[in-house]
Amino acid sequence: MKIKRRKKLTINGLSKGGKISVYIGMILMSIIALFPLVWVVISSFKGDPLAEPGFALPSKLVFDGYISVFKDMNILRYFGNSIIVSLTSVVLSITMISLSAYVVARTEFKGKGIVTALLLSTMFIPATAMTFPVYNLVNNMGIHNKHSGLIFIYTCSGIAVSFFIIKNYFATIPKEIEEAAFIDGCNFFQTFTMIIFPIARPGIMTAAVLAFMNNWNEYYWSSMVLIDKEKLTVPALLSQFTTSFSTNYNGLFSAIVVIVIPPIILFCCCSKYFVEALSGGAVKG
């Protein structure tokens, strides 16, 4: 069986005017996306961002915020907390979602539509609506103020988006590949781990990266579940710069810059998986 990759989407088929419009649109979107980040970076080098607002360059470069973040607040400890919580929850959630998405996408069973609808319906439930039952459940399980409690919440959060991405990618893989694997003696689990999983890696990695960035940037549950300061994740740490009487904007902006660096690096390293997943880069026979 001849296997070939689908052609990637390009703009070579557009007219000159169409290409110019596309480039102008991409430039505008880039400016809009980078606007707040550039503003925060510039403000982090100002001694008093309120005295020098906007995009005005600082009259004097001030590194006190960065020194305070690494030396006084020991942000590396909170980085470790975020990495442990985010990675563990991503591994657990993506493993479960990949298996369930594979069954839904590749097999026929009674109630398949209901199962799919139930999983996707979680996309429309806001986190605030689930605050009391989830918080009460975490307390009853005895995992309040523990990283395991946050991991439990993150593992069960964002199921709909990851399921949608992975299921749709599984659906693009020809069934002939599975049939050939069964003929060669592979069982259902071996077919998934040895054949389907490597082919669907772009879709699975896309869902994993999106889940990681969502967990890394999550503030609502991290500030509610974790109480002890040494257990906080980096988003919850930002509240330490604000008191009832004042806000340390220089330290706050410096911490924000440090916090957003890991997701940016992760996205740059895994951007090829996004391209393959969004362009339908599976195989066809």
Side-chain angles (χ1 to χ4, degrees):
M1 181 179 60
K2 184 178 180 181
I3 299 176
K4 59 181 179 180
R5 290 192 174 276
R6 292 180 179 177
K7 294 181 179 179
K8 294 183 178 181
L9 298 176
T10 65
I11 62 173
N12 293 331
L14 297 177
S15 62
K16 186 176 180 180
K19 291 181 179 180
I20 293 175
S21 300
V22 170
Y23 285 126
I24 292 176
M26 290 191 292
I27 292 173
L28 290 176
M29 291 301 296
S30 299
I31 293 174
I32 294 173
L34 293 175
F35 178 88
L37 180 60
V38 174
W39 181 78
V40 169
V41 172
I42 294 176
S43 299
S44 68
F45 291 104
K46 298 177 181 178
D48 185 3
L50 294 182
E52 303 177 80
F55 280 87
L57 295 177
S59 57
K60 178 183 177 182
L61 292 178
V62 177
F63 298 92
D64 293 346
Y66 291 98
I67 295 174
S68 176
V69 165
F70 284 99
K71 185 178 179 180
D72 300 333
M73 303 199 69
N74 193 15
I75 196 172
L76 294 180
R77 174 199 296 172
Y78 304 104
F79 263 75
N81 294 339
S82 288
I83 291 174
I84 292 173
V85 171
S86 299
L87 281 181
T88 304
S89 58
V90 166
V91 170
L92 292 175
S93 63
I94 294 300
T95 300
M96 293 187 296
I97 293 171
S98 297
L99 293 172
S100 61
Y102 178 60
V103 173
V104 172
R106 313 301 289 182
T107 61
E108 297 295 332
F109 57 91
K110 291 184 178 180
K112 177 178 176 179
I114 297 177
V115 172
T116 303
L118 289 175
L119 287 171
L120 294 179
S121 64
T122 59
M123 184 185 303
F124 308 103
I125 303 177
T128 52
M130 302 297 294
T131 299
F132 178 76
V134 173
Y135 190 81
N136 190 43
L137 177 62
V138 169
N139 275 330
N140 292 336
M141 294 174 64
I143 54 178
H144 181 258
N145 195 29
K146 295 181 180 179
H147 288 156
S148 56
L150 204 55
I151 291 172
F152 172 76
I153 294 174
Y154 287 171
T155 301
C156 301
S157 302
I159 291 177
V161 176
S162 299
F163 177 80
F164 180 79
I165 294 173
I166 298 175
K167 173 183 172 295
N168 286 351
Y169 205 93
F170 281 149
T172 64
I173 301 176
K175 290 188 176 182
E176 289 79 7
I177 296 179
E178 288 176 299
E179 295 172 356
F182 291 142
I183 293 175
D184 289 338
C186 292
N187 57 35
F188 195 82
F189 185 74
Q190 289 175 329
T191 302
F192 172 76
T193 56
M194 300 172 61
I195 307 297
I196 303 300
F197 184 84
I199 296 175
R201 185 173 56 182
I204 294 174
M205 284 296 298
T206 298
V209 172
L210 290 176
F212 179 87
M213 291 193 294
N214 182 65
N215 295 342
W216 180 274
N217 297 322
E218 202 279 328
Y219 174 80
Y220 183 75
W221 288 113
S222 60
S223 61
M224 185 178 300
V225 174
L226 301 178
I227 299 175
D228 295 340
K229 184 178 179 181
E230 63 273 8
K231 295 180 181 179
L232 294 178
T233 56
V234 284
L237 178 66
L238 297 179
S239 61
Q240 302 296 314
F241 292 95
T242 302
T243 65
S244 301
F245 305 99
S246 64
T247 300
N248 180 6
Y249 287 104
N250 177 255
L252 178 63
F253 291 145
S254 300
I256 292 175
V257 173
V258 174
I259 290 171
V260 301
I261 290 177
I264 292 176
I265 295 176
L266 177 65
F267 180 81
C268 292
C269 295
C270 301
S271 59
K272 65 177 182 179
Y273 295 112
F274 280 83
V275 174
E276 290 185 40
L278 296 177
S279 61
V283 298
K284 73 175 183 177

